[in-house]
């Protein structure tokens, strides 16, 4: 067995390699025949965040069909627009491409509301999964060419009806419960409860 280390140039996201072997007679073989492409991470950084979510919606807000459904809010905290059409949302880290975003560009400082209701026929921002109020995982994942590299992920515990869970402040590292959820707008406009 042989091992080695390859230094990756900064900002790169792909590595092409193959192994060359030469025997005592001078015969050379390659494995694989064509260079293998390895994607190990996104080539650019995105400031996309799951900023807030409500896993048990009874009276807070309704979707286009008038239904009180689970939702999450995606926030673009970066200075540039980000096209979402090649990115994914999931509630299962073992199935990162569970739901693909539609052809949509989220603008800087925009708060995008996504309904997690298993009712995709109701519109482009309705996912094929619901959020479990018992606790689970949520994540935004990058393109297939990056191996669905995580952009933003979290694991959370049990949730309470009509009390959302979100970042404090927007795009921050601390998560708290919001007694007055703020779907589609800044979390800073709500009175919060204890972390």
């Amino acid at each position: 067995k042989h091992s080695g280390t390859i230094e990756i140039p900064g900002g790169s996201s792909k590595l092409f390699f193959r192994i060359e072997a030469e025997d005592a007679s001078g015969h050379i073989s390659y494995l694989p025949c064509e260079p293998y492409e390895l994607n190990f991470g996104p080539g650019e950084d995105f400031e996309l965040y799951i900023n807030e979510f409500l896993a048990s919606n009874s009276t807070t807000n309704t979707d286009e069909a008038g239904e009180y459904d689970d939702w999450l809010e995606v926030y673009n905290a970066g200075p540039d627009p980000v096209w979402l059409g090649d990115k994914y949302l999931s509630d299962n880290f073992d199935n990162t491409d569970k739901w693909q975003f539609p052809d949509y560009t989220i603008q800087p400082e925009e708060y995008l509301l996504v309904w997690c209701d298993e009712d995709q026929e109701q519109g482009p921002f309705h996912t094929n999964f619901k959020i479990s109020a018992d606790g689970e995982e949520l994540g935004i994942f990058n393109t297939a060419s990056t191996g669905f590299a995580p952009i933003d992920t979290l694991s959370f515990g049990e949730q309470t009806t009509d009390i959302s869970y979100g970042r404090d402040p927007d795009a921050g590292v601390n998560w708290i419960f919001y007694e007055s959820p703020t779907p589609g707008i800044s979390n800073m406009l709500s009175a919060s409860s204890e972390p």
Side-chain angles (χ1 to χ4, degrees):
K1 292 183 177 181
H2 299 276
S3 64
T5 302
I6 301 173
E7 291 192 17
I8 307 300
S12 299
S13 63
K14 291 184 180 181
L15 174 68
F16 295 89
F17 74 91
R18 68 179 175 181
I19 299 170
E20 177 183 316
E22 182 177 352
D23 64 19
S25 302
H27 295 100
I28 297 175
S29 61
Y30 298 96
L31 186 67
C33 294
E34 295 297 323
Y36 182 77
E37 178 181 337
L38 176 65
N39 295 288
F40 55 87
E44 56 186 312
D45 293 327
F46 299 104
E47 294 185 59
L48 295 177
Y49 295 91
I50 297 172
N51 201 52
E52 182 182 10
F53 67 89
L54 184 60
S56 179
N57 183 3
S58 177
T59 61
T60 300
N61 60 326
T62 60
D63 64 10
E64 306 93 322
E67 298 172 342
Y68 291 97
D69 286 323
D70 305 347
W71 54 262
L72 65 79
E73 175 187 88
V74 176
Y75 176 51
N76 180 7
D80 301 312
V82 177
W83 184 59
L84 297 177
D86 60 354
K87 296 169 183 58
Y88 298 83
L89 267 180
S90 182
D91 64 345
N92 184 343
F93 293 167
D94 292 325
N95 184 10
T96 52
D97 61 342
K98 191 167 188 178
W99 181 78
Q100 187 171 2
F101 280 96
D103 180 6
Y104 183 81
T105 299
I106 185 170
Q107 299 301 314
E109 305 298 316
E110 181 179 350
Y111 300 86
L112 175 66
L113 196 62
V114 177
W115 297 97
C116 302
D117 57 2
E118 296 180 341
D119 286 327
Q120 292 182 274
E121 70 281 356
Q122 291 182 350
F125 293 100
H126 289 255
T127 69
N128 58 358
F129 64 87
K130 295 182 178 182
I131 304 173
S132 173
D134 293 331
E136 60 171 345
E137 305 165 331
L138 286 174
I140 304 172
F141 298 92
N142 207 347
T143 64
S145 65
T146 68
F148 306 107
I151 296 173
D152 185 42
T153 62
L154 75 145
S155 299
F156 60 92
E158 187 174 356
Q159 301 293 301
T160 302
T161 299
D162 292 325
I163 295 179
S164 66
Y165 197 45
R167 294 179 182 272
D168 178 39
D170 296 316
V173 297
N174 295 321
W175 285 83
I176 62 173
F177 292 102
Y178 289 95
E179 295 175 349
S180 299
T182 59
I185 60 174
S186 172
N187 295 350
M188 300 302 92
L189 300 177
S190 173
S192 63
S193 63
E194 292 298 315

